[in-house]
Amino acid sequence: MAYWLMKSEPQGFGIDHLQQRGIALWDGVRNYQARNFLRQMQAGDQALFYHSNCKVPGIVGLMTIVKGGYPDPTQFNPEHRYYDPKSTLDQPRWTGVDVEFVEKWSEILPLSALRDIPELEDLPLLQKGSRLSLMPVTMAQWHAILAHKPNA
DNA sequence: GCCAACGTTGGC
DNA sequence: GCCAACGTTGGC
């Protein structure tokens, strides 16, 4: 069982969308480093849902991986914005996973607060210039974050 | 909306 | 294989 942090823009697909849907395909990842992490994900892994590129970026809730890495279907659809003409059914380039909603936090745990947690010093999210959209989280980092989960 | 940092593309 | 140009990410 592994821990992850996954970013999404709330205006596109946010925690509220996932809560409504229950289970959703995490698609559209078109970065090789992130893709390689998706391939490592397994059913039962836990993940933090992070809102990026918005007014207050930060962690907003939890989810579980319910289906490990499999070919992201959007890469094969010419009509889709995530279509990749270089991808074939035989040799798919891109991977997706299915995630299931676990909980939405009562408040966001903002990026600015994450920067104040010493255990997170090495988290890629907090490195200057990092654009990695999903990343592994160590058990120590996971527990440090959950210890700061807002509860109002 | 700005813009620095980043990843990818493609000519050479 | 180099690297300039380009498009994208994402905090602010």
Side-chain angles (χ1 to χ4, degrees), chain A residues 89-139:
Chain A
L89 284 166
D90 289 355
Q91 303 244 313
R93 289 185 149 195
W94 305 113
T95 299
V97 296
D98 286 350
V99 297
E100 181 172 25
F101 177 83
V102 172
E103 66 183 26
K104 178 185 175 180
W105 291 356
S106 61
E107 296 171 38
I108 192 168
L109 178 57
L111 176 62
S112 57
L114 296 175
R115 294 195 187 283
D116 292 335
I117 303 176
E119 290 91 337
L120 303 185
E121 192 185 2
D122 296 329
L123 189 65
L125 178 78
L126 304 183
Q127 308 312 307
K128 180 177 158 70
S130 170
R131 289 170 26 179
L132 192 57
S133 68
L134 60 97
M135 65 197 73
V137 173
T138 67
M139 196 179 305

Side-chain angles (χ1 to χ4, degrees), chain A residues 30 74-77 82-88 93-94:
Chain A
R30 296 293 181 266
T74 64
Q75 68 193 307
F76 306 123
N77 180 359
Y82 296 141
Y83 176 60
D84 184 346
K86 297 194 190 128
S87 204
T88 64
R93 289 185 149 195
W94 305 113

Side-chain angles (χ1 to χ4, degrees), chain A residues 56 63 92 136:
Chain A
V56 181
M63 53 195 168

